[in-house]
Amino acid sequence: FGFGLPPRFWSKKIGETVYSLNLLPLGGFVKIYGEEGEGKGDFQSFASKGISRRVVIITAGVAMNLILAVFLLGFGHWVGLPSVVEDEANGYLNNSRVQITQVAIGSPAEEAGIKIGDTIASLKLKTKNEKIKISQVREAQEFIEAHKGQEIILVIERGGETLEKTLIPRQNPPEGEGSLGVALVRTAIVAYPWYQAIIKGITSTVNLTLAITLALANLFWQLIISGRLMADVSGPVGIFMLTGQAAKLGFIYLLQFTALLSINLAIINILPFPALDGGRLLFLAIEKIKGSPVSQKIEKVIHSAGFILLILLMLAVTWRDVVRLF
């Protein structure tokens, strides 16, 4: 696929490995000698290896995705990651603040233009000029509760701006909404010593892997019983846009997002679907059970069909991302 150019212009052999540029730039890939059954009897061929060795080779990419996530999250815990913390928490905390995580429809907060992610810097009565600085959720709740039915001013921080929002806490709010109609959490940049950050990186990766796996399982289950996706799915274009948004928030948010993508890639790649690593593991499991390999012709057809389905899915999701973008 060198556009008619000699191989020396688009590929280079180093030792027994050929590095090449390909016509379709769909990410990097590794094509292993013997992956399609060729070279049986040759000790260098993938096909001549035992099942356990082939399992290790196939899962190496997935393992590296998880190791990358551990490294990124561990580094993040060392330099400091934004986290939800309790009011009583102290220790490795920086930039502690109270943020809005939910705004109820039709509430005083929504009518005042308050948005998710806003930080409450201080509160004051409209009739008084004295501000009360807010550093804990409890402080905000107590002030709002004590001044129901009165005009209060929320001094909020949004990006690099400081805004003042005037509103009146409801005396009889709907159940579960609160007087302003907001949900509040205390967040802080939490940093740990390097030796604790490593453990935190491992536990965060495990927790995120379990959460994403359960979310994907629920997504597929909803697709089976309802025939439609119950959540947004993004392709390359959508991921590019989300990456830009994470980068605008700052390096540490981009680092977290990269770790999340790496975990997602590991989980999707291990799914027992043709053309993915999980699909190849499924064929190895069948080989182990029946005592002989599956016909290479049949396996190749199934993997090719799976690859075509993946490309069609990627095109459909990409088209949806482009439509939403414009």
Side-chain angles (χ1 to χ4, degrees), residues 298-320:
I298 294 174
E299 184 174 349
K300 190 171 183 178
V301 168
I302 292 175
H303 284 313
S304 297
F307 180 75
I308 292 171
L309 286 174
L310 288 175
I311 293 296
L312 291 175
L313 177 62
M314 186 187 73
L315 291 174
V317 173
T318 300
W319 172 254
R320 184 181 177 189

Side-chain angles (χ1 to χ4, degrees), residues 46-98:
F46 178 79
S48 67
K49 306 297 181 183
I51 290 179
S52 59
R53 179 64 63 85
R54 280 180 282 166
V55 167
V56 170
I57 293 171
I58 288 174
T59 56
V62 172
M64 286 308 299
N65 281 127
L66 295 176
I67 290 172
L68 175 61
V70 169
F71 172 78
L72 292 175
L73 292 174
F75 179 77
H77 281 296
W78 179 53
V79 300
L81 285 178
S83 306
V84 175
V85 296
E86 299 292 334
D87 278 350
E88 297 76 19
N90 50 42
Y92 311 113
L93 305 182
N94 290 305
N95 196 25
S96 174
R97 52 187 176 171
V98 174

Side-chain angles (χ1 to χ4, degrees), residues 269-315:
N269 213 14
I270 205 67
L271 293 176
F273 188 85
L276 298 177
D277 288 339
R280 297 189 180 279
L281 288 176
L282 180 61
F283 278 99
L284 289 181
I286 294 172
E287 178 181 338
K288 181 70 174 179
I289 293 170
K290 68 190 290 283
S292 61
V294 177
S295 167
Q296 283 296 317
K297 186 176 181 180
I298 294 174
E299 184 174 349
K300 190 171 183 178
V301 168
I302 292 175
H303 284 313
S304 297
F307 180 75
I308 292 171
L309 286 174
L310 288 175
I311 293 296
L312 291 175
L313 177 62
M314 186 187 73
L315 291 174

Side-chain angles (χ1 to χ4, degrees), residues 153-165:
I153 295 177
L154 269 71
V155 180
I156 63 172
E157 295 174 354
R158 181 185 298 165
E161 296 181 285
T162 299
L163 308 171
E164 291 191 355
K165 300 291 183 179

